[in-house]
Amino acid sequence: MARIRLADVAAEAGVSAATVSKFLNGHHKEMSAATRERIAEVVERTGYRPNSVARNLRLERSRTLGVILADIRNPYSSAVLEELSAQAADTRHALTCAISGNDPAKEATAIERLMESGVDGLIVNTCGGNDERLREADRRVPVLLLDRDLERTGEDEGGGARPLDLVTSDNARLVCELVHEVARGGCTRIHLLTEADSTSSIRRERALTFMRELAARGLTGSTLTLQEEPRDAARQLLELAGAHVPLGLIAINGLVFQQLVEAVTLTGLPVPERLRIATFDEYPWNRVLFGGVTTAAQDVRAIAAACLTRLLGRIDGDVGGPRRIELPGSIIRRASTR
């Protein structure tokens, strides 16, 4: 069977090839509803598929997006990547992914390699240390930051250097609500458990918000690095518990929560009688551990959609202005804080 061409679709629909091309590229407002319906019927009936290679050459696009993640060990990163991949496929884009491992040198190399490969845009979960490289990359193709922002400088605030688009959650509100959930049953001492490195702007934002919220509520506590070795972490928790009954613990992300679960199990301290526990990021195991763990759930589907919508919009020429897009998460109340 001969391959159906765009001209064949146009002839059967009684329109020009240019009109069919506009339809296929989503410019539906430029034609009447009746015209759209005729073209759609012919496309569906004939099974027409555009020659994407020739089309991309004409548009000077690869229909490939680069994604750089700082730490794939974090369950949140893999969840967002899965959503990005699925939603990009729906827009006929492919993803090329690199992992920096929180190493600025590896991130810099990934930026250059992805740019050289001809990606149309970049989504970067930056580990820091590459602000100028990212700004330079953004002058060549659109760059969007996922969760982690560039370092704030006087130049940025004064308008000299262009900030980049950022998509993240409403972290400040989620932190405040987690503190509320842990404290509302009479828990007066709460610690925010975090990672050893401070490369993540989002972790820093969560920590600052946490300390402000403790002060506002008249509570005691601190931001602490949870020891990586499980037995060391268990001893750390036993020392923190002391005479504070119950003691509140909030994991700053899913990776720290995994470490916390192992440490709590080794201590033998009951939850929620001795420890009240909450965490960021919702996963199936949160529903069963300790009878259910109170969670600040980020909407990874909405986050992925916002990343792609903004990035593809910029690729199509919608510069607008750099945006900080904060998407609402939700608090899931469970037995671990009751």
Side-chain angles (χ1 to χ4, degrees):
M1 180 182 295
R3 177 183 174 85
I4 299 295
R5 300 172 302 163
L6 184 142
D8 299 326
V9 174
E12 289 205 37
V15 298
S16 69
T19 300
V20 174
S21 180
K22 287 179 181 179
F23 173 85
L24 295 171
N25 284 287
H27 301 301
H28 296 165
K29 293 182 179 179
E30 299 180 22
M31 62 195 73
S32 68
T35 298
R36 290 197 301 270
E37 290 174 5
R38 286 203 310 276
I39 297 172
E41 188 278 327
V42 174
V43 168
E44 183 176 359
R45 174 164 48 81
T46 61
Y48 172 74
R49 293 293 180 270
N51 186 331
S52 59
V53 174
R55 179 171 175 269
N56 291 340
L57 286 173
R58 288 196 301 273
L59 295 173
E60 295 184 342
R61 293 183 187 173
S62 65
R63 299 195 74 82
T64 301
L65 306 176
V67 179
I68 303 174
L69 297 175
D71 190 353
I72 198 64
R73 297 175 306 155
N74 189 330
Y76 169 79
S77 296
S78 55
V80 172
L81 180 60
E82 183 176 9
E83 278 294 335
L84 284 172
S85 179
Q87 294 185 33
D90 290 339
T91 66
R92 298 183 181 178
H93 286 79
L95 298 186
T96 299
C97 187
I99 310 299
S100 72
N102 284 311
D103 184 336
K106 290 182 179 178
E107 179 178 286
T109 299
I111 293 169
E112 292 307 314
R113 287 181 177 172
L114 289 172
M115 296 284 289
E116 290 171 1
S117 73
V119 296
D120 295 329
L122 285 173
I123 297 173
V124 184
N125 176 227
T126 181
C127 63
N130 286 302
D131 289 9
E132 290 309 313
R133 284 188 177 88
L134 288 167
R135 290 192 182 102
E136 173 59 31
D138 187 60
R139 287 188 277 269
R140 296 161 59 190
V141 300
V143 174
L144 179 140
L145 299 173
L146 169 62
D147 270 333
R148 300 182 179 190
D149 206 352
L150 302 184
E151 294 293 332
R152 296 293 182 184
T153 66
E155 186 183 17
D156 292 335
E157 299 299 330
R162 181 190 185 280
L164 302 184
D165 294 315
L166 172 70
V167 174
T168 186
S169 297
D170 55 347
N171 289 281
R173 181 186 66 83
L174 291 174
V175 169
C176 292
E177 292 195 13
L178 280 184
V179 171
H180 170 73
E181 290 301 320
V182 173
R184 69 176 182 166
C187 186
T188 60
R189 188 171 184 82
I190 306 172
H191 296 289
L192 180 68
L193 302 178
T194 188
E195 300 178 44
D197 73 84
S198 59
T199 58
S200 169
S201 64
I202 293 302
R203 287 206 304 272
R204 293 195 296 271
E205 178 184 342
R206 290 175 182 175
L208 286 172
T209 303
F210 172 78
M211 294 307 297
R212 292 193 191 106
E213 188 66 9
L214 287 190
R217 290 176 175 271
L219 303 173
T220 61
S222 61
T223 299
L224 298 171
T225 298
L226 183 65
Q227 296 295 319
E228 291 189 13
E229 205 287 318
R231 294 192 180 280
D232 292 339
R235 284 191 289 270
Q236 182 184 17
L237 296 185
L238 288 170
E239 290 175 5
L240 290 173
H244 296 284
V245 180
L247 175 71
L249 300 172
I250 299 175
I252 203 165
N253 59 29
L255 182 60
V256 172
F257 178 64
Q258 289 177 333
Q259 298 168 343
L260 175 60
V261 169
E262 189 169 4
V264 169
T265 302
L266 290 173
T267 67
L269 295 173
V271 178
E273 292 80 8
R274 289 293 306 278
L275 300 177
R276 296 228 173 116
I277 292 175
T279 185
F280 270 83
D281 302 327
E282 169 71 349
Y283 303 106
W285 50 84
N286 292 28
R287 298 194 287 269
V288 295
L289 290 168
F290 309 120
V293 177
T294 294
T295 301
Q298 301 186 82
D299 191 341
V300 293
R301 180 172 298 176
I303 288 170
C307 286
L308 292 171
T309 298
R310 177 58 178 159
L311 190 64
L312 295 179
R314 283 201 58 206
I315 290 170
D316 287 337
D318 177 17
V319 177
R323 306 175 184 177
R324 180 184 174 98
I325 302 171
E326 292 192 1
L327 296 162
S330 59
I331 299 297
I332 304 172
R333 299 173 179 87
R334 295 194 179 107
S336 67
T337 56
R338 293 173 186 164

